[in-house]
């Protein structure tokens, strides 16, 4: 049985604004993510989904200016973290699955070595323990041809296999938060659904990592989401778009310059 999230949120962001030069990329965003909770951030291209994820990892562009009343992860004020502090958190306390596995994996290094580097950096496991942990995690992401996978270079594997390796890599250290930034974008429809279901199954089994799934395709994420955080709502605040949430069909609709006022349904779903 799924446990209820604790009262203290794992992620607590309030009034986050991010600017690059004269452009406002994120405008006054607030959201919370509880433990053991899957959250979907839905929005059109350019609405700020990926940059929101990167800001939670301290990976926003160098010239970014961030302002926020609160940015807390697991009780830590992440705005005060140094580069050295972030290196201890990324990959260990926060796992990340990026959009494009081919560009995320090192093309000149065998996949087994890349997985082993994560454990070498963040754990004190012996080499034999590292190998055993990797084999067990590959089995968890349904990669059973272990020897071939570990000795292969990324270009020798399919897109679905590479994304499963990225998921395994993100979960090796059993992080408290797992961020998946549109993890199915580069995959065909059948594999997309397999990857989404895999993430759901892993979240239920490990219950420590909490999934924050970023996706554009509502039909993929509807079956697994606990809440929806809609990035497009920020556009509605600027009177550029009106967001309508249809509770009967779980659809999110956009209307340009429309005065209809039902966006409170979205806010209600978000817990505000």
């Amino acid at each position: 049985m799924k446990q209820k999230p604790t009262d203290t949120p794992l992620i607590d962001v309030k009034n986050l604004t991010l600017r690059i030069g004269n452009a406002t990329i994120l405008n006054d965003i607030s959201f919370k993510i509880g433990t053991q909770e899957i959250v979907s951030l839905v929005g059109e291209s350019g609405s700020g989904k990926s940059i929101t994820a990167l800001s939670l990892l301290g990976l926003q562009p160098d010239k970014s200016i961030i302002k926020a009343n609160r940015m807390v992860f697991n009780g830590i004020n992440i705005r005060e973290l140094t580069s050295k502090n972030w290196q201890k958190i990324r990959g260990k306390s926060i796992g990340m699955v990026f959009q494009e596995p081919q560009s995320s994996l090192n093309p000149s290094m065998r996949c087994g070595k890349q997985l082993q580097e994560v454990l070498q950096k963040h754990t004190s496991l012996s080499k034999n323990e590292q190998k055993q942990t990797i084999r067990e995690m590959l089995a968890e992401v349904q990669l059973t041809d272990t020897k071939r996978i570990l000795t292969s270079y990324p270009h020798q594997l399919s897109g679905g296999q590479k994304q499963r390796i990225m998921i395994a890599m993100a979960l090796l250290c059993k992080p408290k938060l797992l961020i998946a930034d549109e993890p199915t974008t580069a995959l065909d429809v059948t594999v997309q659904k397999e990857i989404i279901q895999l993430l759901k199954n892993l979240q239920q089994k490990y219950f420590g990592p909490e999934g924050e799934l970023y996706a554009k395709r509502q039909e993929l994420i509807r079956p697994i989401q606990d809440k929806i955080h809609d990035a497009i709502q920020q556009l509605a605040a600027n009177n550029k778009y009106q967001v309508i949430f249809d509770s009967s069909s779980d659809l999110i609709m956009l209307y340009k310059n429309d005065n209809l006022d039902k966006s409170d349904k979205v806010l209600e779903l978000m817990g505000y």
Side-chain angles (χ1 to χ4, degrees):
M1 181 180 294
K2 183 177 178 181
Q3 299 178 13
K4 293 183 178 180
T6 60
D7 293 335
T8 302
L10 184 69
I11 289 285
D12 188 357
V13 174
K14 185 175 182 181
N15 305 124
L16 168 63
T17 297
L18 186 147
R19 294 179 60 84
I20 300 177
N22 294 324
T24 299
I25 310 302
L26 302 177
N27 184 25
D28 198 29
I29 293 176
S30 298
F31 59 90
K32 295 180 181 180
I33 302 173
T35 56
Q36 302 173 359
E37 185 173 48
I38 295 177
V39 176
S40 301
L41 182 62
V42 183
E44 63 184 6
S45 295
S47 59
K49 302 183 300 297
S50 293
I51 197 68
T52 300
L54 293 175
S55 69
L56 295 178
L57 286 162
L59 293 176
Q60 64 276 2
D62 291 337
K63 296 182 179 180
S64 301
I65 298 175
I66 286 184
K67 294 182 179 180
N69 289 343
R70 183 164 58 248
M71 286 187 72
V72 176
F73 163 67
N74 198 32
I76 301 171
N77 183 355
I78 60 178
R79 292 194 63 202
E80 297 180 352
L81 293 178
T82 64
S83 177
K84 188 175 182 179
N85 294 146
W86 272 119
Q87 290 177 15
K88 295 179 180 179
I89 291 177
R90 296 190 201 109
K92 183 176 183 180
S93 298
I94 302 179
M96 179 76 176
V97 181
F98 292 93
Q99 292 184 26
E100 179 53 70
Q102 181 62 47
S103 59
S104 301
L105 291 167
N106 187 334
S108 64
M109 186 181 296
R110 297 183 191 275
C111 293
K113 179 62 176 176
Q114 297 187 56
L115 289 164
Q116 194 171 11
E117 278 192 342
V118 176
L119 294 176
Q120 288 174 342
K121 183 174 182 179
H122 294 294
T123 73
S124 57
L125 297 177
S126 67
K127 286 189 176 181
N128 287 336
E129 290 172 329
Q130 291 173 13
K131 292 178 180 179
Q132 181 61 27
T133 300
I134 290 170
R135 284 193 290 267
E136 291 173 354
M137 186 54 68
L138 289 179
E140 292 284 10
V141 298
Q142 300 168 10
L143 290 174
T144 55
D145 192 358
T146 307
K147 184 176 180 179
R148 184 180 69 85
I149 294 294
L150 293 177
T151 57
S152 294
Y153 291 95
H155 73 272
Q156 296 174 313
L157 302 175
S158 69
Q161 288 173 325
K162 283 181 283 197
Q163 196 61 295
R164 290 172 190 272
I165 288 175
M166 291 301 301
I167 294 170
M169 189 178 297
L171 292 175
L172 272 176
C173 295
K174 296 181 173 57
K176 294 180 178 296
L177 175 70
L178 173 64
I179 300 177
D181 185 3
E182 297 192 32
T184 63
T185 295
L187 308 176
D188 62 52
V189 175
T190 302
V191 180
Q192 285 180 359
K193 293 184 178 180
E194 290 176 357
I195 293 297
I196 290 294
Q197 187 57 51
L198 173 62
L199 286 168
K200 175 61 176 176
N201 293 342
L202 290 171
Q203 190 268 346
Q204 289 178 330
K205 178 170 184 177
Y206 283 92
F207 65 82
E210 290 74 35
E212 183 173 339
L213 306 183
Y214 292 78
K216 294 179 182 178
R217 301 192 58 180
Q218 186 70 5
E219 68 271 20
L220 282 174
I221 62 175
R222 186 185 306 127
I224 66 169
Q225 64 193 11
D226 293 324
K227 295 196 298 185
I228 295 176
H229 288 302
D230 198 322
I232 306 173
Q233 182 64 35
Q234 307 307 319
L235 298 178
N238 293 331
N239 297 318
K240 293 182 179 180
Y241 290 86
Q242 180 65 43
V243 182
I244 306 298
F245 175 69
D246 183 353
S247 59
S248 62
S249 59
D250 288 339
L251 293 178
I252 291 178
M253 297 162 283
L254 287 178
Y255 295 87
K256 277 191 174 183
N257 301 320
D258 195 316
N259 292 323
L260 292 175
D261 187 17
K262 295 182 181 179
S263 58
D264 59 306
K265 291 292 185 181
V266 176
L267 295 176
E268 181 181 341
L269 187 67
M270 290 168 62
Y272 295 105

